[in-house]
Amino acid sequence: MSRSSDRSAQGETLSRAVWDVLATQGLERLTVRAVATAAGCTTGLVMHRFPNRRALLLHARRLLHETTRARVESLEAEAGTPRDALRAVLLQGMSTDEQTRQEAIVWMGFLAAAVADDELIAEHRRNNRSWRTRVERLTAAAAPDWPAPRVATAALALMATAEGAAAFGAADPAAFPARQQVEMLDAALTAFGLF
C-alpha cells in the first residue's frame, strides 16, 4: 500500500472517529484523546490533522453538511413533484433512524459549542442559510402562486418543525418516535396546503 493510500485510510479513520465520539459520547467528551482512542491511534496523529477541539468540531460540522447536502440533492432529483421533493428533503432532516439521530446530535453539539466562538458560529450560520435557501426554493416550487413573504414564512415554519423534531427525537427517541415525527411533518405540510 502506498503512503498516500495510508494517509487516506488514516484520514477516513480519524474522520469516522471524530464523528463517532461526538455522535455517541457528546460534546463534552469530544477531545483529542477520545478521538485517538476511538481511532486506535496516538494523540499525536490526531493532533497532526486536528490541532484542537475547534478543528474537531469544524470537521464534524463540515462532514455533516456534505453528507446531508449529497442526500438532499439525491432526494430532490428523485422526487416526482416539487411537493414530494419538499417533503423528502424535510423528512431526511428529522431524527427518524440511527443515522439521522446521530446527525441531529452532531448538529446540536456543534451549535452548543458555536454560541461563544466566532469561527464556529460563522460556519453554522453559513450552513443554515444554505439550508434555508434550499427549503425556500423548494417551497416556492411547491406553491408557485405564493408571494415571496408567504414562501419565506412557510419555509421557516417547516424548517422549525423538522429541526425541532430532530432535536427532540435525538434526545428521546421513545417519546418522539419516527412515525409521529413523520405524522407531524405531514400535518404541517397539510396545514400549509403543501401535502
Side-chain angles (χ1 to χ4, degrees):
M1 186 179 278
S2 70
R3 283 186 143 192
S4 62
S5 295
D6 287 345
R7 276 191 282 254
S8 178
Q10 279 180 346
E12 288 177 27
T13 299
L14 290 174
S15 183
R16 185 76 237 165
V18 170
W19 181 270
D20 288 346
V21 170
L22 184 54
T24 64
Q25 298 179 37
L27 176 63
E28 290 303 313
R29 293 194 178 120
L30 181 65
T31 64
V32 169
R33 182 175 305 281
V35 171
T37 299
C41 67
T42 66
T43 56
L45 182 60
V46 175
M47 291 185 72
H48 182 70
R49 179 137 183 214
F50 305 109
N52 53 41
R53 189 173 192 200
R54 176 190 285 155
L56 294 170
L57 285 163
L58 280 170
H59 178 74
R61 182 60 170 104
R62 288 174 180 153
L63 183 60
L64 173 63
H65 179 74
E66 289 306 310
T67 300
T68 57
R69 182 188 54 76
R71 187 169 59 233
V72 298
E73 286 177 358
S74 176
L75 289 168
E76 194 175 334
E78 294 168 5
T81 68
R83 289 179 180 200
D84 290 343
L86 177 63
R87 182 179 184 271
V89 166
L90 289 166
L91 184 58
Q92 70 77 43
M94 300 172 91
S95 184
T96 57
D97 58 27
E98 185 57 24
Q99 178 181 344
T100 54
R101 189 183 77 75
Q102 285 190 3
E103 289 169 355
I105 291 168
V106 168
W107 184 86
M108 290 184 294
F110 185 86
L111 177 58
V115 171
D117 185 299
D118 292 340
E119 182 180 1
L120 296 180
I121 200 68
E123 181 81 14
H124 181 75
R125 288 175 179 160
R126 184 172 36 261
N127 290 326
N128 274 7
R129 287 178 182 148
S130 173
W131 172 237
R132 184 173 183 171
T133 297
R134 181 182 298 274
V135 175
E136 285 181 356
R137 179 178 50 74
L138 292 170
T139 303
D145 297 333
W146 286 7
R150 184 174 180 192
V151 166
T153 298
L156 188 57
L158 291 168
M159 287 173 58
T161 298
E163 298 291 349
F168 286 127
D172 191 355
F176 298 91
R179 178 186 50 77
Q180 286 185 322
Q181 291 181 56
V182 173
E183 290 170 358
M184 181 181 64
L185 176 61
D186 289 346
L189 288 166
T190 299
F192 280 110
L194 294 170
F195 188 63

